Amino acid sequence: MLSKQRVPQLQTCLSPALLHTNNVSQSIVVIIDVLRATSTIAAALKNGAKSVIPVNSVAECIKLGNQLEVVTAGERDGRIAEGLAYGNTPFQYTEKFIKGKTLVLTTTNGTRLLHMALAENAKEIITGSFTNLSSVCAYLIEKKQNVILACAAWKDKVNLEDTLFAGAVISKIKEHFIIDCDSSQIAESLYSLARGDIFEFMQMKNASHFKRLLDFGLEKDIIYCLTENVSDVLVIYKDGRLVAG
Ligand code: MLT
């Protein structure tokens, strides 16, 4: 007799500080850093980067840059990290600049969370942002595995943009999952309030990193990172690298 197909679970983790409370080793972990790491990674891979190597420290990034034929880049507190030439803006990684190359990237929150998920033996890791929303949703439905929507947040403080993206994913795939997690309810409820115009909602709510990037004159980055499917590629972590799936 065929076993009744087990319906997978979906959980949302609003801060890296809560990751350990989730069933990481039995789940596909979606690393979410809308502003801007996972948006930039999707842009680079969509524009033909061979792979993206996410590293935890600037020192490691520089070291790899001295050892390998790679492009090194990094951001700290929204600015280009000291000692590196390139930062975390999706507009840097045009086809002309990045096609066929490997990008080594370190960021304040996104790459940190990815390494935390690795340390917790995540079953699989993909990255998500509004820029590749459809690819993420299609993959999670197809895989029929437990899912954790993991928000990179800001230095462990919950942020709006990552929570909204988790809500967007839930709104599109919830009928395929068991969802008994209040964080998922919070994310979906927030998204239902903001979905009409996420940029305006973030502005109205004075979102912290949104404001920080605006102050740095990076409105173009914000608009790009909030645009659905503008670089719609599935991004999967394989053998130490993020590659287009
Ligand atoms: C992060 O990791 O915190 C972000 O990607 C920061 C940014 O790029 O502004």
Side-chain angles (χ1 to χ4, degrees):
M1 194 180 74
L2 278 182
S3 68
K4 192 166 161 303
Q5 178 74 41
R6 184 187 64 75
V7 180
Q9 289 222 330
L10 184 149
Q11 295 172 301
T12 300
C13 176
L14 297 177
S15 164
L18 296 168
L19 187 65
H20 67 284
T21 65
N22 292 272
N23 187 358
V24 175
S25 63
Q26 304 300 315
S27 308
I28 299 175
V29 178
V30 183
I31 304 296
I32 302 169
D33 190 351
V34 170
L35 298 178
R36 297 165 289 171
T38 53
S39 305
T40 297
I41 290 165
L45 290 168
K46 183 72 179 174
N47 289 332
K50 222 166 39 187
S51 68
V52 177
I53 303 177
V55 294
N56 245 336
S57 72
V58 174
E60 202 184 340
C61 198
I62 294 171
K63 190 170 130 230
L64 277 178
N66 295 333
Q67 292 167 344
L68 307 170
E69 268 304 303
V70 293
V71 175
T72 54
E75 160 279 335
R76 287 293 180 270
D77 299 316
R79 293 189 183 282
I80 296 180
E82 214 172 309
L84 293 170
Y86 305 111
N88 200 25
T89 170
F91 293 101
Q92 177 68 58
Y93 306 103
T94 59
E95 194 167 335
K96 189 161 173 290
F97 179 82
I98 203 63
K99 192 174 174 70
K101 297 180 185 152
T102 287
L103 172 64
V104 180
L105 180 69
T106 183
T107 74
T108 308
N109 302 286
T111 54
R112 170 179 172 249
L113 176 60
L114 189 146
H115 281 276
M116 289 171 73
L118 285 173
E120 298 261 344
N121 300 316
K123 193 172 183 180
E124 192 175 333
I125 292 175
I126 68 172
T127 69
S129 167
F130 287 103
T131 61
N132 69 337
L133 175 61
S134 293
S135 291
V136 169
C137 293
Y139 188 71
L140 296 177
I141 292 170
E142 176 208 324
K143 292 290 283 192
K144 295 188 175 61
Q145 298 285 324
N146 294 338
V147 167
I148 298 171
L149 302 175
C151 300
W154 184 263
K155 301 182 181 179
D156 289 344
K157 290 199 188 87
V158 172
N159 72 17
L160 276 175
E161 61 271 18
D162 297 343
T163 307
L164 287 168
F165 176 75
V169 172
I170 294 164
S171 73
K172 291 179 188 317
I173 70 174
K174 60 184 175 187
E175 61 272 13
H176 301 272
F177 293 86
I178 292 172
I179 302 180
D180 60 358
C181 136
D182 290 3
S183 298
S184 297
Q185 304 306 341
I186 292 167
E188 195 191 2
S189 308
L190 192 70
Y191 178 66
S192 65
L193 292 176
R195 62 188 302 166
D197 187 334
I198 295 183
F199 185 98
E200 194 196 312
F201 183 82
M202 302 265 290
Q203 195 153 44
M204 198 172 59
K205 297 296 179 190
N206 233 0
S208 55
H209 195 42
F210 175 95
K211 227 173 21 174
R212 186 179 293 113
L213 295 177
L214 273 187
D215 292 349
F216 294 159
L218 295 169
E219 182 169 345
K220 233 177 74 185
D221 283 29
I222 297 172
I223 293 168
Y224 179 92
C225 294
L226 298 180
T227 305
E228 282 190 18
N229 301 327
V230 67
S231 52
D232 196 15
V233 60
L234 179 66
V235 180
I236 301 186
Y237 187 83
K238 274 190 191 134
D239 312 323
R241 298 163 183 251
L242 291 162
V243 293

